[in-house]
Amino acid sequence: MDDLRLALILNAISPEIGGVLVRGEKGTAKSTAVRALAAVLPPVTVVAGCRFSCDPARLAPDCPDGPHPSARAEDRPTRLRELPVGTTEDRLVGSLDIERALTAGVVSFEPGLLAAAHRGVLYVDEVNLLHDHLVDLLLDAAALGVAHVERDGVSVRHEARFVLVGTMNPEEGELRPQLLDRFGLTVQVAAPREPAARAEVVRRRLAFDAGPEAFAAGYTALERELSARIAAARAALPAVRLPDRELTRIAAVCAAFEVDGLRADLVTARAALAHAAWEGRAEVTEADVRAAAALALPHRRRRNPFDAPGLDPDQLDAALEAARQDLDGAGTDGDPNPGGDPNPDGDPNPDGDEGSGRADAGAPARPDGQVRAPDGQAGADDDPDPDPDPGPGPGGGGPGDGAPAAGEARAGAGTAGRPAGDDAAAARPAGAEAPVSVVAPSAMFRARRLEVPGVGRGVPGRRSRAVTGAGAVVGAQVPDGRLRDPHVVATLLAAAPHQAARGRSGPGLRLRPADLRQARREGREGNLVLFAVDASGSMAARARMAAVKAAVLSLLLDAYQRRDKIGLVTFRGEAARLALPPTSSVDVAAARLADLPAGGRTPLADGLLLAHRTLLRERLRDPSRRPLLVVLTDGRHTAGPEPGPAAELLARAGVAAVVVDCETGRVRLGLAGVLAAWLGAPLLTLAELAAPGGGHAAPSGRRGARAGAGLDGAAAGAGLAATVRALRDAA
């Protein structure tokens, strides 16, 4: 909690830092710490009666409640305003009172939470579940210190300087990278593991429950001391200097971690100034830079899509040490080797030769201590693909058509003529357990958009068409509750026939609340994408599983970008398993998929039935979110009942599905096409799934797409299935 306390205090000293994002598992007192911040902040002096908390010492010329010619000052405690997850844009930024404007002709602006939080704290619990456009508005106001309201015919500008604090549980989903970058600082919070610390937490909580007033009174003196120190740091902040040496150090550290843009440099500089003021220093030092960088860089360093934000302290120390050496060696005043001797220490091997290897002279060091080859050259550790075979994935012949992933033995190597996958069962002794292996995924690719047919009414997202609060206006409707998005033309048309009966005599219309109409907008929604992945022995053959994992990871990344919920069903051996219940955490799904073993028989029907039960339960929990089932299989079924009835059960339930045929090789049975016909779903190959452009809509009816090699329709597919069953029974 030390990092959390420091991050909150630095933002309290300098709100221009841009807020704090607190990441942590459930039950780690994130909300408790944030709510306690307001109690230790110094009181603020405001203009009496001003809804926008204007400062009497610095009156805002564009305050909507101004001007304040005879401002009367009053002191009040610092406010903490909480932003609920289900809030709307007009509640956040404020809006025109439409009903009063249309019925009474009065222009009245209602301030939102940004105005209420001015000069205080704005707390957003579960910020990762907040709609993206609201997060954008929040972060813009926090960075600029000003809120602009341009909506509903209202043009208002007012100050909005506050300490923005967001908390989130990474298990429930991540923020998009561009939104993550907008938070000034980030802190990872975890519960203490030491028994003594945990016991002390419980002891204090029980003492608080027994007597809240007496417990709080015991910390009054400490809180007053902390409040006075924050006020003193605020007053001293304008006089704190940032020397050019430390500014160069900040730039060097940010460059060493290869962060995108310059926001990291600016935030680190502001946080270092606040830290120096907090420590009572008149000038920023290296210690201030280190403390600021440890909080400003973890969520900004360049990383893979599914990697959690983090910063290795050793890498930070290495970057600071490299920057220190560069600063000490710059110029003759601090140059320890003014003569320019290339080997001042007498190193017998100045060129970096060691054995048969040779390091590149002058190659820049990375924060992890490794040497990076100069541009245009590639060292042995930096070669992204030492194998000239492009392997599976787009650009290399399509997923599943190339070489197996690194470290994976090629199917059949050293065992020429031995059957692979499920066909190898006959070659094993009776009672022998099927081999199980875990393979690494091949290269990810950009997946095409898969859509649910029709128009839904789910939560805003980026996948399927839906009636949402944002998007193009496609009609009008009677408002359900308060009017928020008026459709002016429809309102006038509804009121026009009644003007004579209402005694209209002047140029204006006579409106009634029943005449009001709200715009109906169509945009995109987020869906529940449930993956049913075949992990049997036939999928492990010929490096199929590496390509399948890459395909699912690519679809997971696509689901993350489109704000979907995702789930993962796997089937192998004798049963199916719900590897991941529906969740918004794509990172957890990626981790479960990476560790997914492959081998054994194929209970395809069990996998479909488990998918049906999972979707049925989720429909009760979240009825507005429409599902999309993505089945990745070669269509074989060697365990359990026939998959036909289970597939038809999903089709009768109206579940939109897509079947991805994972079969590779010259001889193909086309059983995935039979499954697609049963589901009434389109059939895609792995290569078609990686197509860079266009979307693919899942049909709502039982319309079979391509049913396999030389087959057309469900009847031909059923005939092939019967033939395959007869051959298997005969064998």
Side-chain angles (χ1 to χ4, degrees), residues 424-444:
R428 292 193 299 270
E433 185 178 355
V436 176
S437 61
V438 177
V439 299
S442 54
M444 293 173 57

Side-chain angles (χ1 to χ4, degrees), residues 263-640:
R263 185 175 284 118
D265 305 61
L266 187 59
V267 170
T268 305
R270 288 171 173 168
L273 287 166
H275 190 269
W278 171 248
E279 295 295 336
R281 287 189 282 267
E283 188 174 275
V284 173
T285 65
E286 182 180 350
D288 301 318
V289 173
R290 190 193 191 286
L295 298 173
L297 297 183
H299 58 304
R300 290 189 170 91
R301 60 173 307 182
R302 192 170 295 171
R303 57 191 180 94
N304 293 325
F306 299 120
D307 291 342
L311 188 68
D312 188 348
D314 294 336
Q315 295 184 16
L316 178 58
D317 291 337
L320 288 170
E321 177 62 26
R324 185 184 306 114
Q325 293 178 1
D326 291 342
L327 289 171
D328 291 341
T332 57
D333 294 340
D335 189 355
N337 183 27
D341 185 1
N343 188 20
D345 298 327
D347 188 353
N349 188 21
D351 292 334
D353 294 333
E354 183 177 353
S356 60
R358 183 180 186 277
D360 291 305
R366 296 196 303 224
D368 55 7
Q370 300 179 8
V371 176
R372 181 171 56 223
D375 294 340
Q377 303 179 17
D381 294 337
D382 292 329
D383 186 2
D385 187 12
D387 189 350
D389 188 349
D401 293 333
E408 177 191 350
R410 292 181 181 271
T415 57
R418 178 179 299 175
D422 287 339
D423 299 331
R428 292 193 299 270
E433 185 178 355
V436 176
S437 61
V438 177
V439 299
S442 54
M444 293 173 57
F445 53 87
R446 180 182 177 185
R448 68 189 303 170
R449 184 174 67 201
L450 306 175
E451 296 184 21
V452 178
V455 180
R457 291 181 174 271
V459 297
R462 296 186 174 185
R463 183 170 298 278
S464 305
R465 293 175 55 200
V467 176
T468 61
V473 177
V474 296
Q477 62 187 9
V478 177
D480 183 13
R482 183 175 178 232
L483 181 67
R484 301 185 182 277
D485 189 6
H487 195 296
V488 178
V489 175
T491 299
L492 297 179
L493 291 176
H498 307 289
Q499 296 306 300
R502 294 173 183 174
R504 172 190 168 189
S505 58
L509 290 176
R510 291 180 177 267
L511 300 178
R512 298 289 185 270
D515 301 331
L516 301 179
R517 296 293 183 270
Q518 184 165 304
R520 184 165 60 89
R521 298 179 179 271
E522 184 176 298
R524 294 278 176 178
E525 68 176 356
N527 298 111
L528 166 61
V529 182
L530 181 64
F531 297 95
V533 180
D534 184 351
S536 62
S538 63
M539 297 293 291
R542 296 174 182 166
R544 292 180 190 170
M545 203 60 201
V548 169
K549 286 187 176 182
V552 179
L553 283 173
S554 302
L555 290 170
L556 285 174
L557 179 59
D558 181 69
Y560 167 73
Q561 294 169 341
R562 301 189 189 282
R563 315 307 291 168
D564 296 319
K565 291 181 69 175
I566 49 92
L568 180 62
V569 171
T570 63
F571 49 95
R572 55 171 293 271
E574 300 298 328
R577 184 172 70 94
L578 183 60
L580 181 68
T583 177
S584 297
S585 179
V586 180
D587 298 342
V588 177
R592 301 281 174 87
L593 182 70
D595 298 333
L596 177 65
R601 299 169 68 84
T602 311
L604 179 56
D606 289 342
L608 297 177
L609 290 174
L610 180 56
H612 180 266
R613 291 194 298 269
T614 302
L615 295 177
L616 199 60
R617 286 195 303 267
E618 192 64 21
R619 182 175 294 176
L620 296 176
R621 296 175 182 172
D622 192 358
S624 63
R625 191 183 290 268
R626 297 187 295 163
L628 175 63
L629 176 64
V630 181
V631 185
L632 294 98
T633 180
D634 56 9
R636 302 184 186 185
H637 53 281
T638 59

Side-chain angles (χ1 to χ4, degrees), residues 145-185:
V146 175
H148 295 272
V149 184
E150 300 286 346
R151 50 173 296 150
D152 302 333
V154 175
S155 180
V156 173
R157 179 182 183 274
H158 65 84
E159 291 189 349
R161 290 180 291 104
F162 49 82
V163 178
L164 175 63
V165 184
T167 59
M168 59 173 286
N169 183 354
E171 296 177 355
E172 297 176 349
E174 287 283 356
L175 278 173
R176 298 206 321 268
Q178 58 267 42
L179 297 180
L180 197 63
D181 180 63
R182 300 293 297 277
F183 276 94
L185 309 179

Side-chain angles (χ1 to χ4, degrees), residues 24-28 171 188-199 201:
E25 57 194 11
K26 51 187 175 295
T28 50
E171 296 177 355
Q188 184 74 32
V189 178
R193 302 305 177 192
E194 300 81 6
R198 298 174 72 95
V201 172

